[in-house]
């Protein structure tokens, strides 16, 4: 069963930086998505933060987010500028981004 389509939320998304060829690092409050199975998406120093990874092996699409805070309600202004900093807005953005690249909910592994 496919997940229902998440309504597209137009918000700026902070994306991670590249370190060396083939490896991309998500910093705090950043999200990465890729449809290149040769790329490695990583994040470091989670501590009390939340990291979520998503992968659809059939589509070859994956994503990673490094969220710092649980709820965007505690800093609504910051959530508009950096939605990936918060679990409630960031995970939705991550799921939408991988589905936009062809991932399907029933095939996803989410950790």
């Amino acid at each position: 069963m496919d997940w229902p389509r998440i309504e597209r939320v137009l918000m700026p998304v902070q994306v991670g930086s590249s370190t060396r060829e083939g490896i991309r690092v998500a910093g705090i409050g950043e999200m990465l998505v890729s449809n290149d199975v040769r790329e490695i998406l990583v994040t470091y120093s989670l501590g009390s933060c939340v990291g979520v990874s998503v992968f659809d092996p059939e589509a070859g699409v994956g994503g990673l987010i490094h969220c710092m805070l649980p709820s965007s309600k505690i800093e609504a202004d910051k959530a508009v500028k950096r939605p990936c900093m918060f679990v409630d807005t960031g995970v939705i953005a991550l799921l939408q981004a991988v589905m936009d690249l062809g991932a399907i909910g029933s095939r996803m592994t989410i950790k």
Side-chain angles (χ1 to χ4, degrees), residues 4 31 33 42 62 73 88 91 99 101:
M31 171 181 76
V33 294
V42 299
K73 293 178 183 175
D88 62 344
V91 172
M99 286 192 268
L101 288 178

Side-chain angles (χ1 to χ4, degrees), residues 6 17 19 23 36 52 54 64-65 74-76 85-86 89 92:
I6 298 171
S17 59
T19 53
I23 298 176
D36 182 349
V52 178
V54 179
L64 176 69
I65 192 165
I74 59 175
E75 289 190 60
M85 183 175 282
F86 303 91
T89 52
I92 291 170

Side-chain angles (χ1 to χ4, degrees), residues 90-106:
V91 172
I92 291 170
L94 174 63
L95 293 174
Q96 186 65 58
V98 294
M99 286 192 268
D100 286 349
L101 288 178
I104 294 177
S106 62

